[in-house]
Amino acid sequence: MNYLRRIDWIMRSYNVAVVGATGAVGNEMISILEERNFPVKTLTLLASERSLGKELEFRGKKHPVKVLGEHSFEGVEIGLFSAGGSISQKFAPIAAAAGCVVIDNTSAFRYEPDIPLVIPEVNPEKIAEYRRRGIIANPNCSTIQMVVVLKPIHDVARIKRVVVSTYQSVSGTGKKAMEELAEQTRAIMNFQDPVAKVYPYQIAFNCLPHIDVFLENGYTKEEMKMVWETQKIMGDDSIAVTATTIRVPVFRAHSESVNIETEKKITAKEAKEVLSRAPGIVVVDNPGKREYPLAIHAVGKDETFVGRIREDTSIVNGLNLWIVSDNLRKGAALNAVQIAEILFRDYLK
Ligand code: NAP
Ligand code: 3JM
């Protein structure tokens, strides 16, 4: 037996379930588990009755998709959930009661005080709190890529206020939305009327200032997720955050224009140095050579890309940043698998 195979053999492996396995995030979960050689003993793929009979490939072998039910979690040790909030609301506690640690990608539990909300580069120590309810929440895609970049700046200059506008791709809504953008684009190019089913208006060749539901304060829930989650993950409710979240006709990877005000002065040059050393971040900032982060370059990548780093000339201590990342990877599936990796390395024996 060679050395690497021997390590594999000695390492404990886990019974893993992916809930929402046929979806945009679920699909990416399966690929990432394989790519990162996650120690999977058995993989249970779960979805709705609509997927009965489907098979998905993992490590060169076809796995049947099973219908999610109350008995799906017997013997399962790690459950990666991405089938929507109401599914998590119902089935995450059932899975946890069966002894499965749930890593939940939905907003169902994120704001509950006894549920840890984790980005491994920012607050990995919070994973220990999985013991309270057996559930760890994965933040929203737009929050993750922003906070990965904010944290190293916060550590040196303390962030007082954040103003963010997002340019979010349709893959954040799921598979059907990706099909809708493709179909509407095709229709319009063929002089036909586009049909809107997933979004309230045409998304092709358009921008929608509406993601998730509108709340009483006039913001959308997606916008408030960025406020609540940033404060919870950074462990600092005094950071003021205001967000405008926009759906744009991009298939994959979210972009964000982020303006921050800091307590201590940090120059653009210092910010670039700090960010260059930070985990999970690649600085792409060479305007003279037309080098800046682009959604099309971030697709399929694990890192969060930051560029257009410049001082805000309208205030004393301010910076502007352009942040881009693959929403299905770092924004969802990769962050969840990274949490699972820390979980088995440090906690599950
Ligand atoms: P999607 O492509 O529409 O996939 C939805 C998945 O959920 C499919 O596998 C679907 O199965 C399954 N599902 C739906 N209803 C179900 C039911 N009643 N029982 C069992 N499975 C059911 O959506 P997605 O983009 O992958 O997103 C899924 C969820 O992940 C979202 O609703 C959201 O809560 C979360 N999400 C999180 C982030 C993040 O930033 N953390 C990003 C995107 C999404 P069928 O194929 O059988 O219908
Ligand atoms: C991203 O429950 C649902 O309909 C899912 C809505 C949703 C969410 C959410 O709120 O869980 C779609 C896309 C998210 C998210 O990550 O917050």
Side-chain angles (χ1 to χ4, degrees):
M1 198 182 287
N2 74 29
Y3 181 67
L4 281 175
R5 273 190 58 205
R6 196 176 154 75
I7 288 184
D8 255 344
W9 178 71
I10 294 167
M11 258 175 79
R12 169 149 151 45
S13 54
Y14 298 86
N15 297 323
V16 178
V18 177
V19 180
T22 52
V25 177
N27 251 295
E28 206 62 32
M29 296 268 195
I30 298 166
S31 309
I32 291 176
L33 288 171
E34 180 164 341
E35 276 169 36
R36 295 172 75 90
N37 204 16
F38 193 92
V40 175
K41 193 194 292 171
T42 63
L43 185 66
T44 306
L45 304 179
L46 300 163
S48 80
E49 281 163 5
R50 292 178 290 272
S51 297
L52 201 59
K54 279 191 193 162
E55 288 183 320
L56 297 170
E57 215 175 277
F58 176 67
R59 292 184 181 155
K61 203 173 143 244
K62 290 217 157 63
H63 286 62
V65 179
K66 298 180 181 162
V67 178
L68 173 66
E70 305 209 348
H71 301 290
S72 298
F73 300 96
E74 280 153 24
V76 175
E77 295 166 285
I78 300 173
L80 303 170
F81 277 57
S82 65
S86 56
I87 298 293
S88 289
Q89 203 63 259
K90 177 168 176 199
F91 288 97
I94 292 174
C100 167
V101 182
V102 172
I103 302 172
D104 183 34
N105 263 274
T106 79
S107 57
F109 299 97
R110 286 181 194 147
Y111 317 115
E112 294 186 22
D114 54 354
I115 301 273
L117 182 64
V118 177
I119 303 175
E121 291 85 346
V122 179
N123 61 344
E125 70 287 351
K126 290 284 175 194
I127 292 173
E129 292 178 18
Y130 82 90
R131 294 189 183 94
R132 290 175 157 192
R133 307 252 311 258
I135 302 171
I136 301 167
N138 205 57
N140 177 259
C141 38
S142 297
T143 309
I144 294 177
Q145 67 181 65
M146 180 173 81
V147 173
V148 160
V149 173
L150 294 187
K151 179 63 165 52
I153 298 174
H154 188 60
D155 287 344
V156 297
R158 213 192 90 72
I159 294 173
K160 283 163 55 180
R161 180 168 186 251
V162 181
V163 182
V164 52
S165 297
T166 69
Y167 303 68
Q168 297 181 220
S169 67
V170 296
S171 56
T173 316
K175 259 174 146 168
K176 288 205 176 91
M178 296 172 81
E179 286 158 17
E180 181 154 304
L181 174 58
E183 272 164 30
Q184 288 182 356
T185 307
R186 211 175 297 125
I188 292 166
M189 298 310 284
N190 286 295
F191 307 101
Q192 290 163 351
D193 288 335
V195 180
K197 285 193 229 143
V198 176
Y199 295 113
Y201 298 97
Q202 173 190 323
I203 181 65
F205 307 100
N206 200 10
C207 298
L208 304 175
H210 174 182
I211 302 183
D212 209 332
V213 294
F214 280 98
L215 304 177
E216 274 190 0
N217 64 1
Y219 285 82
T220 62
K221 190 171 170 208
E222 189 80 353
E223 289 162 347
M224 293 313 296
K225 286 172 189 172
M226 295 191 80
V227 179
W228 300 327
E229 294 174 20
T230 300
Q231 292 171 341
K232 179 165 175 174
I233 300 160
M234 301 273 265
D236 186 346
D237 285 351
S238 72
I239 302 173
V241 181
T242 186
T244 303
T245 58
I246 310 293
R247 188 72 66 191
V248 296
V250 167
F251 280 102
R252 192 160 158 168
H254 291 355
S255 305
E256 299 178 341
S257 165
V258 181
N259 175 268
I260 60 174
E261 184 176 359
T262 54
E263 200 168 272
K264 267 180 62 188
K265 176 78 189 167
I266 176 165
T267 65
K269 187 166 174 284
E270 285 163 349
K272 278 181 209 173
E273 283 163 8
V274 166
L275 293 171
S276 305
R277 292 193 299 268
I281 296 175
V282 174
V283 175
V284 184
D285 199 3
N286 203 341
K289 288 189 171 165
R290 297 185 216 163
E291 287 171 1
Y292 29 73
L294 291 177
I296 56 167
H297 294 158
V299 175
K301 304 271 168 48
D302 287 349
E303 297 85 358
T304 295
F305 300 88
V306 56
R308 302 295 324 280
I309 302 165
R310 60 215 188 277
E311 282 152 49
D312 177 349
T313 53
S314 73
I315 51 172
V316 185
N317 296 338
L319 283 179
N320 283 308
L321 312 154
W322 177 248
I323 302 172
V324 181
S325 194
D326 185 328
N327 55 298
L328 295 180
R329 289 181 77 88
K330 187 58 189 168
L334 173 65
N335 198 71
V337 173
Q338 287 173 323
I339 292 171
E341 287 172 347
I342 297 174
L343 192 66
F344 82 68
R345 189 193 66 201
D346 295 350
Y347 300 100
L348 303 180
K349 297 291 170 219

